[in-house]
């Protein structure tokens, strides 16, 4: 029995079957000649006879909860995921500067490389999340992210402050997207973007961690600022100590 | 939105007091000691290679995204390409680390490394053409012509992409093993160590990677015989998981 079904599936795959994704699940049973010329005999000449689900062959099933024309309600989430990839490479180059002989700050390099890695992994995880929810990924970006270039010479404090800015900005955007997907009334159409599951993902997987990162980085920035302001002459030594702490 | 507020505040702090930056004193003490010998042309081509590795990482990432979709559903292929994306990113990192070691990361005025438009690289990765190759197979309708499967088409493009990257590394090696020394007509500098590193580390990985993909194409090809592309892909995907 098993072998018959497999044989049938093989022939079925080879048949010149045309997909018709525009139709909904209510599409009536197809006429028999829809499968075109089929070489094999027996059940394979009519897949309906051995595969009861043939009615589903004419449309893709989707895990998406809004219909195809409304999928753009997720564009902000897609752009947000792509921002993580962009920021990941921004941190990547920012970190690399601190590994040069002239800067030689392994601690700062480690801190920034860590941010780069977590942005990369988060970006990939968000793409997987989209796939889970039936949202196709595209490389679209927000206007303010399009122009990001690998950075020129940056001081230790400026790099930490920049990282704090980036992370805080990501937290603010997460908040905005969360609001977009969690605000609706009972009678509102799903196309307005309400998506409790996605909101939950944003709050639990992204924001919880981000809140800590922002706090850590703003703390570092303020610490460095105070060290500099109160004892500018000792600042090079302060940086040396601070770098050691980060290592 | 408080955009770049923290950074702006910090720049003000720096502007209000002029402090010796540590960089300046570092350079002073290194004056007149010529310890960096890696040549400019070789460095620039390495920087180009870093861009190519990043482009490859983003391209593989989009392959991973494609195979993760609910209407494609090939978790094995998706995993294979997500891993490949992170590997390419790691290659870019290794090249940066190498330049750091040789004192040639972000150390010359005409460097391109500080001007890589990351946003642009991300946007370009959406286009069907990247690294001079056609990645249009992702947009092809199902079922595919000639009984080919999406998996087969992705592997074939991946092999072409790896071939292009290998050529690019070979050209980098050629440039770095005989670079003309500035101001001296007949003197060339052979960067033995970098050439050895590229050959031993990078080319080894390229050839192993290409062998792996070519093997997959051949195995899958044998399964596809007589147009069974979809079932072959379904089964092969499980091997990749
Ligand atoms: Fe590579």
């Amino acid at each position: 029995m098993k072998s018959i079904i497999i044989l049938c599936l093989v022939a079925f795959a080879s048949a010149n079957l045309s997909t018709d994704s525009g139709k909904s699940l209510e599409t009536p049973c197809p006429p028999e000649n829809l499968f075109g010329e089929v070489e094999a005999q027996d059940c394979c000449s009519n897949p309906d006879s051995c595969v009861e689900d043939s009615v589903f062959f004419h449309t893709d099933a989707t895990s998406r909860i809004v219909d195809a024309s409304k999928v753009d309600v997720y564009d902000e989430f897609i752009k947000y995921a792509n921002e993580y990839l962009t920021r990941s490479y921004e941190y990547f180059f920012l970190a690399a500067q601190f590994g040069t002989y002239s800067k030689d700050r392994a601690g700062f390099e480690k801190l920034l490389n860590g941010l780069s890695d977590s942005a990369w992994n988060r970006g990939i995880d968000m793409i997987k999340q989209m796939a889970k929810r039936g949202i196709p990924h595209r490389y679209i970006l927000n206007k303010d992210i399009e122009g990001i270039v690998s950075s020129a010479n940056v001081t230790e404090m400026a790099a930490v402050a920049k990282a704090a800015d980036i992370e805080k900005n990501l937290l603010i955007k997460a908040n905005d997207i969360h609001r977009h997907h969690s605000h609706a009334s009972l009678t509102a159409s799903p196309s307005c973007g309400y998506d409790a599951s996605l909101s939950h993902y944003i709050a639990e997987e992204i924001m919880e961690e981000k809140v800590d990162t922002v706090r850590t980085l703003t703390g570092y920035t303020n610490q460095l600022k105070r060290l500099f302001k109160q004892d500018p002459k000792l600042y090079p030594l302060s940086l040396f100590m601070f770098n050691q702490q980060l290592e | 939105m408080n955009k770049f507020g923290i950074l702006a505040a910090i720049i003000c702090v720096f502007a209000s007091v002029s402090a010796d930056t540590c960089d300046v004193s570092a350079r002073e003490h290194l004056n007149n000691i010529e310890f960096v010998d890696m040549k400019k042309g070789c460095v620039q081509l390495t920087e180009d290679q870093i861009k190519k590795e990043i482009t490859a990482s983003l391209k593989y990432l989009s392959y991973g995204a494609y195979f993760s979709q609910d209407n494609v559903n090939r978790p094995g292929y998706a995993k294979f390409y997500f891993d490949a994306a992170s590997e390419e990113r790691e290659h870019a990192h290794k090249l940066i680390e190498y330049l750091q070691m040789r004192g040639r990361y972000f150390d010359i005025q005409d460097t391109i490394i500080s001007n890589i438009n990351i946003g642009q690289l991300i946007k370009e990765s959406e286009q069907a053409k990247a690294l001079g190759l056609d990645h249009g197979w992702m947009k092809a309708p199902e079922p595919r012509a000639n009984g080919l499967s999406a998996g087969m088409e992705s592997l074939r493009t991946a092999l072409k992409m790896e071939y292009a990257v290998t050529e690019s590394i070979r050209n980098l090696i050629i440039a770095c093993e005989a670079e003309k020394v500035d101001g001296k007509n007949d003197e060339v500098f052979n960067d033995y160590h970098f050439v050895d590193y590229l050959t031993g580390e990078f080319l080894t990985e390229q050839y192993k990677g290409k062998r792996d993909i070519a093997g997959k194409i051949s195995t899958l090809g044998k399964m596809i015989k007589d147009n069974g592309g979809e079932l072959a892909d379904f089964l092969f995907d499980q091997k990749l998981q």
Side-chain angles (χ1 to χ4, degrees), chain A residues 63 65 74 77 129-130 132-133 135 178 181-182 193-206:
Chain A
S63 59
I65 60 170
Y74 294 108
F77 187 74
Q129 188 66 21
M130 284 172 216
K132 198 183 275 185
R133 303 297 314 285
I135 307 162
H178 185 278
H181 289 298
S182 53
Y194 179 74
D195 190 325
S197 166
L198 200 66
S199 300
H200 174 73
Y201 174 81
I202 292 167
E204 184 159 297
E205 299 290 328
I206 299 176

Side-chain angles (χ1 to χ4, degrees), chain B residues 53 56 87-88 91 162 165 169 202 206:
Chain B
E53 301 288 351
E87 233 168 73
E88 296 306 328
H91 292 167
E162 290 306 326
V165 171
I169 293 168
F202 277 76
Q206 284 306 122

Side-chain angles (χ1 to χ4, degrees), chain B residues 61-114:
Chain B
L61 198 51
S62 69
Y63 283 24
Y66 172 84
F67 285 106
S68 307
Q69 291 180 101
D70 58 1
N71 58 348
V72 180
N73 195 38
R74 294 278 183 257
Y77 280 103
K79 181 175 175 292
F80 178 66
Y81 289 120
F82 279 133
D83 289 350
S86 293
E87 233 168 73
E88 296 306 328
R89 177 170 173 271
E90 192 48 44
H91 292 167
H93 197 225
K94 275 170 85 173
L95 288 173
I96 286 178
E97 280 183 325
Y98 190 87
L99 289 178
Q100 289 174 337
M101 179 182 79
R102 295 291 299 275
R104 265 319 180 64
Y105 183 79
F106 197 66
D107 197 43
I108 37 177
Q109 290 306 309
D110 55 355
T111 185
I112 56 165
I113 207 80
S114 58

Side-chain angles (χ1 to χ4, degrees), chain A residues 203-232:
Chain A
E204 184 159 297
E205 299 290 328
I206 299 176
M207 297 183 77
E208 209 168 292
E209 188 190 327
K210 196 62 70 200
V211 165
D212 287 336
T213 312
V214 168
R215 173 62 185 80
T216 306
L217 290 170
T218 46
Y220 287 165
T221 310
N222 291 331
Q223 179 64 73
L224 281 171
K225 192 190 76 180
R226 280 204 309 280
L227 284 166
F228 177 77
K229 271 188 117 171
Q230 293 188 18
D231 305 294

